[in-house]
Amino acid sequence: MRTETSIFVAQQLDTDKDQIITVKELLVGVLDGIFPLDGSSMTELDSITTEYSEFFNEAKSVAVSEMYRMLQQCPDMTQTASKFIVNTINGVTGTTMNVNLGMFALVVREGIFPLNTDTCLRSLAEVQSLTRTYGLLGGGATLSTQQLQTALEAQRFHRDEAKVLVNAADITGDGLVSLEEFSYLVVHGMLPVLSDVLVIDGHVPNGNVSPQTVLEYFIAMDTSRDGKLSTSEISGYLTSIGLTLNLANLVATSIDLDANDAITLEELELAVYHGFINRESKLILREVLYLRMTFFHHSLAVPGALSKHFNVMFGMPTVVCAKIENRIFAFNVGDKSGKLSEIAFLRAVVSGTVPTTLETATAITAAVQAFAYSD
């Protein structure tokens, strides 16, 4: 990190200007995105302070009028999109006069605010995606909390979980969720399923994966250069492309089908095929979120629930659904709770055991029936 950026961050952390940074100030800085926790965040802050240094005032914040000016320099950026972006950055109403570095960095990281003219189109695409998703939920000028509750439950959130998110979304407490309130929570990762899952068609395998592609991933991840892949090496790769440590560990462990901390080329190929390994972290996040919200949550973790779910969702024969569920639970090695763990479920997905589309449901049904007839 450049010296100028380090000074910049330190000044932002020292909120009471006593030249001493307390633990509380540091934690607030981490939560606000001001204090970088990894190399990519440091690089990002360097880029922001370099690209936009002229717009930051002595208090190390950006005035709303300056943000408008920056956005108007972007090609194809409309006045409506500019206002929406600024309102999102300000949190709710757009009445805040200045935005601190942490919040500014956060919306840049999420693709809402363009870092330079080359990323303006991406920023517009993110705005259009949020607006489209908001419209899908029934929002016009505003979205009622009941509409959001219904939409969340339709995405297979439990009623109580949906209620917590709805209460969080209604920041002003008026029973309505504005587009800016909605987007603010999406940017902060509180409603990722709405921006990521609703705009895709579900879990669709990547098709034929070439041996060359798998080998390239293997070489990139094998940091020890010993010709072996451990879950920690895979997790390290995933965090380097932007996944959080918890999600990276979850994905890496899920890929290790036999739980021996040695990922084979065959396991890696299956992971690439099912979208668990990708060069874009957002695509991996979408995959896990879709599977989590559609096929795996606490109400489906008990025996008998998944088989009924597959029967209703895909019209698969009851006997076939029961056999599939048994095979999924076979990945639940060492768990004595009686409930299916998320790692076990994701391992079943990677192995090809879980029907996630009508096409895969048909293929799995045929394979299970053929196997049964051959016994």
Side-chain angles (χ1 to χ4, degrees):
M1 181 180 284
R2 296 182 309 123
T3 303
E4 294 85 345
T5 304
S6 300
I7 295 172
F8 196 103
V9 170
Q11 290 172 335
Q12 286 273 283
L13 293 173
D14 186 18
T15 54
D16 55 8
K17 307 304 176 187
D18 62 354
Q19 296 190 332
I20 297 174
I21 297 171
T22 64
V23 173
K24 182 178 179 180
E25 286 176 324
L26 182 62
L27 289 175
V28 170
V30 171
L31 291 173
D32 285 346
I34 298 169
F35 189 80
L37 293 176
D38 52 41
S40 61
S41 298
M42 291 180 186
T43 303
E44 181 181 78
L45 287 176
D46 265 337
S47 300
I48 291 170
T49 54
T50 300
E51 188 78 23
Y52 291 131
S53 58
E54 63 179 290
F55 295 104
F56 284 94
N57 57 32
E58 291 182 1
K60 307 308 179 204
S61 60
V62 186
V64 170
S65 58
E66 291 298 317
M67 287 192 290
Y68 273 120
R69 187 158 72 89
M70 284 186 272
L71 290 167
Q72 291 306 306
Q73 293 176 0
C74 291
D76 302 319
M77 183 66 70
T78 64
Q79 188 172 8
T80 301
S82 298
K83 182 179 178 181
F84 170 76
I85 291 171
V86 171
N87 285 353
T88 301
I89 294 173
N90 281 326
V92 186
T93 62
T95 57
T96 303
M97 296 304 296
N98 296 291
V99 175
N100 69 25
L101 173 64
M103 186 59 187
F104 190 72
L106 183 62
V107 291
V108 169
R109 183 181 306 126
E110 292 296 326
I112 300 298
F113 198 99
L115 184 58
N116 49 52
T117 54
D118 293 335
T119 57
C120 281
L121 288 178
R122 178 193 165 196
S123 177
L124 281 169
E126 292 289 340
V127 170
Q128 290 166 354
S129 173
L130 285 169
T131 305
R132 182 171 64 252
T133 302
Y134 187 75
L136 284 172
L137 299 181
T142 54
L143 179 72
S144 72
T145 51
Q146 184 55 53
Q147 284 174 307
L148 183 56
Q149 175 86 23
T150 301
L152 287 167
E153 290 182 24
Q155 285 297 303
R156 295 177 176 82
F157 273 93
H158 187 272
R159 185 184 297 106
D160 294 339
E161 294 170 343
K163 189 173 182 179
V164 170
L165 289 174
V166 167
N167 289 338
D170 184 16
I171 298 172
T172 55
D174 59 359
L176 299 171
V177 180
S178 69
L179 178 57
E180 286 74 29
E181 286 176 315
F182 170 78
S183 302
Y184 180 75
L185 295 183
V186 171
V187 167
H188 278 79
M190 294 182 69
L191 295 174
V193 64
L194 298 178
S195 66
D196 290 329
V197 174
L198 279 178
V199 295
I200 62 174
D201 297 325
H203 175 86
V204 180
N206 292 327
N208 294 326
V209 178
S210 71
Q212 180 64 29
T213 299
V214 177
L215 188 59
E216 287 174 359
Y217 276 121
F218 192 99
I219 293 172
M221 295 177 184
D222 183 20
T223 53
S224 63
R225 297 292 181 263
D226 61 357
K228 302 175 185 177
L229 268 190
S230 65
T231 52
S232 62
E233 286 178 313
I234 291 180
S235 180
Y237 169 81
L238 294 174
T239 54
S240 74
I241 63 171
L243 284 188
T244 63
L245 181 59
N246 285 341
L247 186 56
N249 287 338
L250 174 67
V251 172
T253 306
S254 302
I255 293 170
D256 186 15
L257 297 182
D258 50 11
N260 64 352
D261 197 29
I263 313 301
T264 65
L265 280 172
E266 290 77 14
E267 288 173 324
L268 187 60
E269 181 179 1
L270 286 170
V272 175
Y273 177 79
H274 285 284
F276 282 54
I277 295 296
N278 198 297
R279 289 182 176 85
E280 293 189 44
S281 60
K282 189 170 185 178
L283 296 182
I284 301 174
L285 175 62
R286 285 182 177 181
E287 191 64 39
V288 174
L289 285 174
Y290 173 76
L291 292 169
R292 181 180 289 168
M293 295 305 135
T294 308
F295 298 100
F296 187 82
H297 42 81
H298 67 87
S299 61
L300 293 178
V302 296
L306 271 176
S307 60
K308 291 179 182 178
H309 189 60
F310 295 143
N311 175 257
V312 172
M313 192 167 193
F314 300 119
M316 301 171 74
T318 304
V319 174
V320 172
C321 292
K323 288 190 175 183
I324 292 172
E325 185 181 272
N326 287 338
R327 292 180 182 180
I328 294 172
F329 267 82
F331 285 93
N332 220 30
V333 180
D335 193 307
K336 301 185 185 300
S337 68
K339 292 185 177 182
L340 183 68
S341 70
E342 185 171 18
I343 288 176
F345 176 76
L346 293 178
R347 280 176 175 160
V349 172
V350 173
S351 72
T353 304
V354 180
T356 53
T357 64
L358 185 58
E359 183 180 358
T360 56
T362 302
I364 290 174
T365 298
V368 170
Q369 290 176 335
F371 182 78
Y373 294 148
S374 65
D375 287 346

